[in-house]
Amino acid sequence: MLTLNLWKCLIIICLYFTIKTTSSQIAARPHIILIVADDVGWNDVGFHGSNQIPTPNIDALAYNGIILNKFYTTPSCTPSRAALLTGQYPIRLGLQGIPITAGENQHLPTNVPTLPEKLQELGYKTHLIGKWHLGAAFKNVTPTSRGFDSHFGYWNGYIGYFDHEAKGGNMTGLDLHFNHEPIWNRQGNYVTDLLTKEAEVLIWKHNVSEPLFLMLSHLAGHAGRKGEDLEVPNVENNDERFGYIASKNRRLYAGMIHELDKSVGRIMEILAEREMLHNSLVVFISDNGAQTVGEHSNWGSNWPLRGLKMTVHEGGVKNIAVAYSPLFQYREQVNNDLFHIADLMPTIYAAAGGDVEDLGTIDGINQWQLLTQNAGSKRSESLLHIDEVKECAGYISDYGRYKLINGSTLFEDYDLYYGEHGRGDSSPPYDINAVISSPAYVAIGKNIPVNKMLQLRKKATLENCRKPISPDNKCTSKNWCLYDLFEDPCETTNIASTHPEVVDRLSGELRRAWTYLKPQKPKFVDPAANPIYFNNTWYTWLDD
Ligand SMILES: *[C@@H]1O[C@H](CO)[C@@H](O)[C@H](O)[C@H]1NC(C)=O
Ligand SMILES: *[C@@H]1O[C@H](CO)[C@@H](O)[C@H](O)[C@H]1NC(C)=O
Ligand SMILES: *[C@@H]1O[C@H](CO)[C@@H](O)[C@H](O)[C@H]1NC(C)=O
Ligand SMILES: *[C@@H]1O[C@H](CO)[C@@H](O)[C@H](O)[C@H]1NC(C)=O
């Protein structure tokens, strides 16, 4: 396999001979780079006000672009990724349940079009690097059958950062593939770096006169080996770097986020080097809130928000999102309009020059005008979730003011307050110079006054709004919880009893959503999927 430097040489030789023709044709269709982080919490990026884990590259992207500060996802991986790639609420697809376990025959319905399929129709080259998590029992449900020209990465929910093994029930096997080929010879390579290198080579090999859609779907900051271990390239160096963080596990998590941030910088750098950045849309999101404690806990922080991944409280569903493009007329802003993860599908399709009418009836709303013209959100409300098995549902309305909850959490106690605030004396002060010297900032090449960046940071930051949660403030499927998020972003006070008309209206919306809910299949991990039958790799076990 050619190394990145060799590719650079080849490309430069090519450019030398074709420079006249290529530089005169600037493609109308932008390159689209969608970076998805896994289980990274609201408070785990610098631009949301924490000083604990510096993320200078992500912050540079945020300050240069638009910080989407009311970006809602579903409470967990599979449903969020299903909504992201189809523009549909997961309850239409039967994928609203607990994320797919390795060895489970669950997948995106094959008749529902995906974003990369629609982008292929527009002439895009489409590539997935990293996590899929939308089914792998058959070849025809894997990424290369669902719109991606290529996939380098893993099919299941998580792998070890070094051993690249995924676990399902009591079965374990390698889950790193190029398309359908298992990749054995990279074991021992730290996965965040490995995926980034693949992305760099791919961008270098890409013919810049053709539009690129690259989804870089990182493992960070999900728990790694066996879904339990937090893994960094070098524990000693990491302990030194984050010595001011008391918790050993939080230090490891910080190291994982540090690598994720470096990846964002490298991608921005290479887009600039290849002169693609001036015609690119770069989106960075997290798929759901952090799992501070509990299953697959990663010690991430949703502070000050209430709840973890797997809840419809804000900590589970209100997530990090940043969009950057030189094509935006108004950049350097914090946007507080409602945006749902399902909106990215039609928004990106519109960005690519597609007519969203082609997408038929979907739940996602085209927000391209919001991004390019600061036009205000076309979305006033959104279904957040219904899980009919775990009895958990949420609906948000009135441009993000009211949230109605009918059963808040899939697991006991995930609906409380967790996570470190990362402010005050226990962390170093915020280092704006690190942002200015970050590869992402340099790649974008625009000087933003320091004050402006600090103002944006302040605007994007939620102050502490927590209060003790009283026992009658537990939201089960037997009682309604209603919150006024404009007044009470920490969901401390259930106002259902004083706002019966809002409860009526929103519960009506939930009832309507139930009418199109496709029931989820019972969870079943198929012993026939066992990697022992496939040379210790996960494979599409139900093909002939
Ligand atoms: C693995 O789990 C399956 C069912 O979940 C069970 O039948 C089997 O005995 C288990 N195998 C081992 C080695 O524990
Ligand atoms: C790059 O893409 C353009 C437009 O599709 C095509 O004309 C050209 O031949 C391609 N160049 C290479 C080296 O493949
Ligand atoms: C509230 O949740 C329960 C249990 O999941 C369900 O039976 C009921 O229909 C829900 N109410 C609405 C309005 O969705
Ligand atoms: C089987 O797995 C081993 C690693 O355990 C690997 O070295 C070997 O190449 C694999 N064989 C095939 C045919 O893929």
Side-chain angles (χ1 to χ4, degrees):
M1 212 173 267
L2 290 180
T3 67
L4 179 61
N5 280 335
L6 260 172
W7 273 112
K8 287 188 183 182
C9 281
L10 280 179
I11 297 277
I12 286 163
I13 293 165
C14 272
L15 278 181
Y16 179 80
F17 288 108
T18 59
I19 196 124
K20 283 265 152 10
T21 50
T22 50
S23 63
S24 60
Q25 321 170 322
I26 292 168
R29 292 164 295 180
H31 305 295
I32 297 162
I33 317 296
L34 173 58
I35 306 175
V36 184
D38 202 340
D39 292 6
V40 175
W42 174 266
N43 199 41
D44 294 328
V45 285
F47 74 83
H48 274 165
S50 169
N51 298 337
Q52 202 177 31
I53 308 178
T55 53
N57 290 289
I58 297 169
D59 293 6
L61 195 66
Y63 300 146
N64 271 284
I66 301 177
I67 297 170
L68 296 168
N69 240 25
K70 259 194 197 74
F71 179 79
Y72 283 88
T73 68
T74 82
S76 67
C77 300
T78 297
S80 278
R81 286 153 201 270
L84 173 64
L85 290 185
T86 65
Q88 307 272 13
Y89 292 143
I91 58 167
R92 290 191 197 271
L93 313 168
L95 291 176
Q96 63 274 24
I98 304 273
I100 301 172
T101 304
E104 247 193 295
N105 173 17
Q106 299 246 35
H107 53 79
L108 276 183
T110 48
N111 61 345
V112 175
T114 66
L115 174 61
E117 285 169 359
K118 300 306 289 180
L119 292 175
Q120 278 178 334
E121 289 171 14
L122 298 176
Y124 272 73
K125 300 290 171 204
T126 59
H127 302 280
L128 173 64
I129 293 181
K131 168 160 156 172
W132 170 240
H133 211 186
L134 289 170
F138 301 92
K139 278 207 174 65
N140 71 354
V141 301
T142 59
T144 45
S145 299
R146 296 314 322 268
F148 288 105
D149 297 343
S150 76
H151 175 218
F152 179 95
Y154 50 107
W155 289 330
N156 295 298
Y158 55 84
I159 54 177
Y161 281 79
F162 292 102
D163 67 16
H164 311 154
E165 287 184 354
K167 192 168 150 254
N170 54 16
M171 311 181 290
T172 302
L174 181 84
D175 184 4
L176 187 71
H177 297 86
F178 178 65
N179 301 337
H180 296 103
E181 281 304 305
I183 305 286
W184 280 106
N185 62 5
R186 305 289 185 87
Q187 275 190 314
N189 287 278
Y190 189 70
V191 80
T192 307
D193 181 53
L194 181 60
L195 299 178
T196 307
K197 277 201 180 106
E198 284 300 314
E200 287 173 318
V201 168
L202 197 144
I203 292 169
W204 268 96
K205 282 161 62 175
H206 180 72
N207 179 346
V208 294
S209 18
E210 295 177 323
L212 168 70
F213 174 63
L214 169 62
M215 178 166 165
L216 175 55
S217 182
H218 269 297
L219 176 64
H222 200 290
R225 208 178 72 90
K226 301 196 162 143
E228 290 163 11
D229 294 359
L230 305 181
E231 297 172 284
V232 297
N234 183 312
V235 176
E236 267 178 35
N237 292 351
N238 191 66
D239 278 344
E240 201 165 311
R241 177 184 297 275
F242 294 110
Y244 54 86
I245 300 177
S247 150
K248 171 173 158 278
N249 285 318
R250 178 78 180 157
R251 281 201 298 279
L252 291 169
Y253 177 77
M256 285 153 48
I257 300 305
H258 174 69
E259 297 299 320
L260 172 68
D261 182 69
K262 283 199 309 198
S263 169
V264 172
R266 283 163 62 181
I267 299 300
M268 293 299 286
E269 200 168 32
I270 206 146
L271 288 171
E273 257 185 277
R274 287 233 59 202
E275 297 185 8
M276 291 165 75
L277 194 54
H278 68 277
N279 185 37
S280 287
L281 164 66
V282 182
V283 177
F284 176 89
I285 61 167
S286 182
D287 61 345
N288 47 251
Q291 191 75 70
T292 317
V293 301
E295 199 182 12
H296 307 317
S297 48
N298 66 357
W299 278 263
S301 172
N302 305 318
W303 190 96
L305 301 174
R306 180 173 173 182
L308 302 176
K309 174 185 176 182
M310 303 287 182
T311 74
V312 290
H313 279 299
E314 294 284 90
V317 295
K318 183 180 160 91
N319 279 301
I320 302 164
V322 165
Y324 167 79
S325 175
L327 305 170
F328 299 167
Q329 232 170 61
Y330 305 93
R331 292 191 291 278
E332 302 162 27
Q333 23 159 351
V334 178
N335 184 286
N336 280 308
D337 293 322
L338 199 56
F339 205 117
H340 188 265
I341 189 166
D343 298 344
L344 282 172
M345 196 263 194
T347 301
I348 288 175
Y349 187 67
D355 178 353
V356 289
E357 297 286 314
D358 301 347
L359 302 175
T361 314
I362 55 171
D363 300 302
I365 292 175
N366 171 13
Q367 305 266 32
W368 185 229
Q369 288 236 315
L370 176 146
L371 296 180
T372 54
Q373 319 282 327
N374 196 20
S377 177
K378 292 199 208 146
R379 180 180 280 288
S380 61
E381 54 188 38
S382 182
L383 176 71
L384 292 174
H385 201 55
I386 299 180
D387 183 326
E388 79 282 13
V389 173
K390 289 285 184 177
E391 303 201 338
C392 168
Y395 199 92
I396 194 164
S397 74
D398 297 84
Y399 300 93
R401 176 181 285 274
Y402 293 117
K403 185 200 280 185
L404 185 74
I405 292 179
N406 176 18
S408 67
T409 179
L410 279 60
F411 296 97
E412 199 66 22
D413 289 343
Y414 281 17
D415 57 350
L416 303 177
Y417 293 121
Y418 296 95
E420 303 202 11
H421 56 67
R423 285 135 171 96
D425 295 340
S426 57
S427 301
Y430 188 59
D431 186 358
I432 196 73
N433 288 323
V435 175
I436 292 169
S437 56
S438 71
Y441 189 93
V442 173
I444 293 169
K446 181 151 188 299
N447 285 322
I448 309 176
V450 166
N451 273 348
K452 175 84 197 257
M453 288 194 276
L454 295 177
Q455 268 169 24
L456 288 169
R457 184 176 194 240
K458 200 157 189 280
K459 268 193 180 168
T461 294
L462 280 169
E463 296 305 328
N464 191 8
C465 47
R466 290 181 173 182
K467 286 184 205 156
I469 299 172
S470 60
D472 65 346
N473 191 3
K474 276 275 196 180
C475 309
T476 70
S477 56
K478 313 251 175 325
N479 70 302
W480 296 110
C481 281
L482 181 72
Y483 298 102
D484 181 337
L485 298 171
F486 289 0
E487 299 296 326
D488 180 21
C490 286
E491 297 169 305
T492 66
T493 311
N494 179 4
I495 58 168
S497 60
T498 54
H499 291 68
E501 73 295 347
V502 183
V503 173
D504 270 2
R505 179 157 56 90
L506 271 60
S507 61
E509 294 300 338
L510 270 183
R511 257 193 305 279
R512 232 185 311 286
W514 272 87
T515 63
Y516 57 76
L517 179 143
K518 177 176 166 188
Q520 56 192 280
K521 290 205 305 192
K523 266 194 112 55
F524 168 66
V525 177
D526 188 349
N530 201 327
I532 56 173
Y533 305 127
F534 304 97
N535 191 31
N536 298 315
T537 64
W538 288 99
Y539 212 67
T540 53
W541 71 98
L542 293 180
D543 283 318
D544 295 334

